[in-house]
Amino acid sequence: MQMWFSEYHTVNVKLDVRIEEQLFSGKSEYQKIDVFKSYEFGKMAALDGEIVFSDADEFIYDEMVTHVPMAVHPNAKKILIIGGGDGGVAKELIKYPFVEKIDVVETDKMFVDVCRKFFPEVACGLEDPRISMYYDDGLRFLRGKNDEYDLIINDSTDPLGHTEGLFTKEFYGSCYKALREDGIMVYQHGSPFYDEDEAECRKMHRKVYKSFPISRVYQAHIPTCPSGYWLFGFASKKYHPLNDLDAERWDALGMKTWYYTTNLHRGAFMLPKYVEDLLEEEETR
Amino acid sequence: MQMWFSEYHTVNVKLDVRIEEQLFSGKSEYQKIDVFKSYEFGKMAALDGEIVFSDADEFIYDEMVTHVPMAVHPNAKKILIIGGGDGGVAKELIKYPFVEKIDVVETDKMFVDVCRKFFPEVACGLEDPRISMYYDDGLRFLRGKNDEYDLIINDSTDPLGHTEGLFTKEFYGSCYKALREDGIMVYQHGSPFYDEDEAECRKMHRKVYKSFPISRVYQAHIPTCPSGYWLFGFASKKYHPLNDLDAERWDALGMKTWYYTTNLHRGAFMLPKYVEDLLEEEETR
């Protein structure tokens, strides 16, 4: 049998992954949820037909959104994850003994239930006693929050669809308010390579750059992402992602990782010229 | 019409690129050569069914194999390109006014002719008066060469097929001999992500690590490569790719690039943990 899952990176490019079997297919109030078992990537979760993570490469994404800010902030105790119903980011965060409270806000309860069933080794992140789950819209949850979090990780999938509100100026403003005076926000910045993605990437940087005093972009290589190349945003009220990196302190934690190191942390902010150029263009608009 | 070119990254993963038209198909003495016009990547050249470069991303590869060693070697005058019949590496090298002589050794004349016809903006690199073209096997060409080149760039496609000899211990030994006492060799190191590629990558590092006093690996994001992630090797008799990087001198050349910067140069050597680990394992075998 030949069964292929096609992920369209643009209308003219797709990544095809050979599937062993489909483990789940369902429709929640918000989206279509599918789980596949693939030969190359192991189990994969797809939302509305797009891979959101796979056994083989979730570690890259989850480590990069978690350890980069955690190696910079000297004392992140209270953290908010927006989206993140799969538990992957929580799984990394609970490794820090000094973290006291993690709020996870996820719109789609069915997605969480599906991840708990099919990805227990990822979703286990949600079982820690420091975790509080809220099934709510991220933007609504943030309203009224003031000076509360040391770190906000926006783990939402896409600037389109039901999570669109999490990519607006209002949203970034709400995050700013919800953060303490030395808070950091980390978010998905998309892929800059294909033209249609580049436009989104530019828009996002323009909005965040105006909302935070420090706004830098960093990169990782994620095979299932469009063109295999993914950017993250680091927006911060006080700490600079490189000048305030405390590599010694992080290394002393002795944390086991597969992608992140404090050396890679530095390299992740050294971007290709075409990416530097497009970000700078938005900064000087 | 829907015409898709499928590039198998493993037997279970492929990248599909929508094609506008096929511009050329032929069989040389060595390989099948195809040229396509695609919607997303512009024109693409394929050898034996594998994309070797495209209009949209050749700049990443060509800049990374050229400018990384050129920003380290203080005075590279005589250079050898093995493979490189498309002219892309030569195109970058001829931008350096102090380069005096560039030998290009390519087995397949038909490939060069096809590139000259369909990719004149890349193949133009071969028209510079400092270029000498040799239609020969790389390994045979190297025999008898002693203490001659400042830099050797091994631009060959694959450790399999008719270029297999360019990935052997004998080949690396011949390169060592052909280099001057402070020479550098740069080569394709493959992609480390998929298991079958990882094995090749390990083998290669083991061989080169034993042949040169300095042997470091660096990375780039190339969308049409397997998993979008590609490694290069930097093997050197004297200069270290980071300690001997002369960023000021390179920046003063005022060269126009789209991917390379001396800042990115540093970041390119900061590798993910899983890549660091597999290289270290081979070094201590």
Side-chain angles (χ1 to χ4, degrees):
Chain A
M1 186 182 76
Q2 292 261 338
M3 177 157 70
W4 292 85
F5 174 91
S6 293
E7 160 113 338
Y8 279 77
H9 287 169
T10 78
V11 290
N12 298 313
V13 181
K14 55 187 168 121
L15 187 73
D16 286 347
V17 180
R18 200 151 81 90
I19 299 299
E20 218 172 317
E21 61 174 318
Q22 178 157 26
L23 301 175
F24 176 82
S25 187
K27 239 187 137 155
S28 76
E29 200 181 331
Y30 305 98
Q31 54 203 342
K32 189 162 183 293
I33 304 171
D34 292 285
V35 180
F36 299 97
K37 190 174 166 196
S38 74
Y39 288 93
E40 195 64 52
F41 292 101
K43 291 188 267 57
M44 308 192 308
L47 294 176
D48 286 336
E50 306 224 354
I51 301 171
V52 286
F53 67 91
S54 81
D55 283 345
D57 69 356
E58 64 80 20
F59 74 99
I60 304 177
Y61 176 86
D62 289 330
E63 290 185 12
M64 289 302 278
V65 295
T66 305
H67 302 312
V68 168
M70 290 301 284
V72 171
H73 197 296
N75 195 22
K77 288 191 185 311
K78 189 166 178 191
I79 297 164
L80 171 63
I81 307 172
I82 299 173
D86 56 276
V89 177
K91 163 180 68 75
E92 294 303 313
L93 269 178
I94 57 173
K95 294 179 181 167
Y96 291 86
F98 53 79
V99 166
E100 289 172 1
K101 192 169 179 350
I102 304 167
D103 290 341
V104 179
V105 186
E106 166 67 55
T107 324
D108 194 346
K109 184 169 183 308
M110 191 199 267
F111 178 57
V112 179
D113 293 340
V114 167
C115 290
R116 281 197 164 121
K117 179 163 179 196
F118 294 100
F119 300 91
E121 63 291 348
V122 177
C124 63
L126 301 174
E127 311 311 325
D128 192 271
R130 291 166 290 177
I131 302 269
S132 306
M133 282 292 302
Y134 299 88
Y135 296 106
D136 198 355
D137 171 77
L139 192 53
R140 193 166 48 212
F141 180 87
L142 276 170
R143 278 180 197 138
K145 301 268 180 223
N146 273 303
D147 192 23
E148 204 172 318
Y149 295 103
D150 300 305
L151 169 61
I152 297 176
I153 298 177
N154 183 4
D155 186 22
S156 310
T157 46
D158 238 308
L160 306 165
H162 78 277
T163 55
E164 196 177 352
L166 306 181
F167 295 84
T168 58
K169 235 164 127 179
E170 186 197 356
F171 172 75
Y172 299 123
S174 301
C175 284
Y176 187 93
K177 247 180 47 194
L179 284 170
R180 289 187 176 141
E181 58 173 10
D182 61 351
I184 296 171
M185 171 180 82
V186 163
Y187 57 102
Q188 299 205 51
H189 212 297
S191 180
F193 186 77
Y194 297 119
D195 289 349
E196 60 188 64
D197 296 329
E198 185 195 318
E200 279 308 318
C201 190
R202 283 178 179 270
K203 260 203 284 190
M204 212 180 290
H205 188 58
R206 199 157 50 206
K207 284 180 219 160
V208 180
Y209 189 77
K210 283 182 185 151
S211 309
F212 280 81
I214 294 165
S215 164
R216 307 308 306 151
V217 168
Y218 64 103
Q219 65 197 345
H221 156 258
I222 306 180
T224 55
C225 287
S227 90
Y229 185 49
W230 200 247
L231 299 180
F232 303 95
F234 180 106
S236 168
K237 292 186 176 184
K238 183 176 169 189
Y239 303 117
H240 187 280
L242 295 175
N243 304 342
D244 293 308
L245 165 66
D246 191 343
E248 234 174 88
R249 184 178 54 97
W250 194 89
D251 291 340
L253 292 169
M255 217 171 273
K256 175 78 191 139
T257 53
W258 279 262
Y259 197 84
Y260 181 84
T261 69
T262 47
N263 196 38
L264 179 114
H265 178 124
R266 293 188 187 93
F269 287 88
M270 297 169 179
L271 303 172
K273 186 73 168 71
Y274 77 95
V275 180
E276 264 186 8
D277 285 352
L278 75 87
L279 295 172
E280 266 167 36
E281 274 172 44
E282 298 309 318
E283 290 169 12
T284 52
R285 250 168 209 267
Chain B
M1 185 183 77
Q2 294 260 339
M3 178 157 69
W4 293 84
F5 174 91
S6 292
E7 160 113 338
Y8 280 77
H9 287 170
T10 78
V11 291
N12 298 313
V13 181
K14 55 186 168 120
L15 187 72
D16 286 347
V17 180
R18 201 151 80 90
I19 299 300
E20 219 172 317
E21 60 175 319
Q22 178 157 26
L23 301 174
F24 176 82
S25 186
K27 239 187 136 153
S28 77
E29 201 181 328
Y30 305 98
Q31 54 203 343
K32 189 163 185 290
I33 304 172
D34 292 286
V35 180
F36 299 96
K37 191 175 166 196
S38 73
Y39 288 94
E40 195 65 51
F41 292 102
K43 290 188 268 55
M44 308 192 309
L47 294 177
D48 287 335
E50 304 225 356
I51 302 171
V52 285
F53 66 93
S54 81
D55 284 346
D57 68 356
E58 63 79 22
F59 74 100
I60 303 176
Y61 175 86
D62 290 330
E63 290 186 12
M64 289 303 278
V65 294
T66 306
H67 302 312
V68 169
M70 290 301 284
V72 171
H73 198 295
N75 194 22
K77 287 190 185 313
K78 189 166 178 190
I79 297 163
L80 171 63
I81 307 172
I82 298 173
D86 56 276
V89 177
K91 162 180 69 76
E92 294 303 314
L93 270 178
I94 58 174
K95 294 178 182 167
Y96 292 86
F98 52 79
V99 166
E100 289 172 2
K101 191 169 180 349
I102 303 167
D103 291 340
V104 179
V105 185
E106 166 66 54
T107 324
D108 195 346
K109 184 168 184 307
M110 191 199 265
F111 179 56
V112 179
D113 294 340
V114 167
C115 290
R116 279 197 164 119
K117 180 163 179 196
F118 293 101
F119 300 91
E121 63 291 348
V122 177
C124 63
L126 301 175
E127 311 310 326
D128 191 271
R130 292 167 289 176
I131 302 270
S132 306
M133 280 293 301
Y134 300 88
Y135 295 106
D136 199 354
D137 170 77
L139 192 54
R140 192 164 50 212
F141 181 88
L142 275 171
R143 279 180 196 140
K145 301 269 180 222
N146 273 303
D147 192 24
E148 204 172 318
Y149 295 103
D150 301 306
L151 169 62
I152 297 177
I153 298 177
N154 184 3
D155 188 21
S156 310
T157 44
D158 238 307
L160 306 166
H162 78 277
T163 56
E164 196 177 353
L166 305 180
F167 294 84
T168 57
K169 234 164 128 178
E170 185 197 356
F171 173 76
Y172 299 124
S174 301
C175 283
Y176 188 92
K177 246 180 47 190
L179 284 170
R180 288 187 178 142
E181 57 172 10
D182 61 350
I184 296 170
M185 171 181 82
V186 163
Y187 58 102
Q188 299 204 52
H189 213 296
S191 179
F193 186 77
Y194 297 120
D195 289 349
E196 61 188 64
D197 296 330
E198 185 195 318
E200 279 309 318
C201 190
R202 282 176 179 271
K203 260 203 284 189
M204 211 180 290
H205 188 59
R206 200 158 47 205
K207 284 180 219 161
V208 181
Y209 188 77
K210 282 181 185 152
S211 309
F212 281 81
I214 295 165
S215 165
R216 307 307 307 150
V217 169
Y218 63 103
Q219 65 196 346
H221 156 256
I222 306 180
T224 56
C225 287
S227 88
Y229 184 50
W230 201 246
L231 298 181
F232 304 95
F234 181 106
S236 167
K237 292 187 177 184
K238 183 176 169 188
Y239 304 117
H240 187 279
L242 295 174
N243 304 342
D244 293 308
L245 164 66
D246 191 343
E248 234 173 87
R249 184 178 55 98
W250 194 89
D251 291 339
L253 292 168
M255 216 170 276
K256 175 77 191 142
T257 53
W258 278 263
Y259 196 83
Y260 181 84
T261 69
T262 46
N263 196 39
L264 179 114
H265 179 124
R266 292 188 188 93
F269 287 88
M270 297 168 180
L271 303 172
K273 186 74 169 71
Y274 77 95
V275 181
E276 264 186 7
D277 286 351
L278 74 89
L279 296 172
E280 267 166 37
E281 274 172 42
E282 298 310 317
E283 290 169 14
T284 52
R285 250 169 209 267

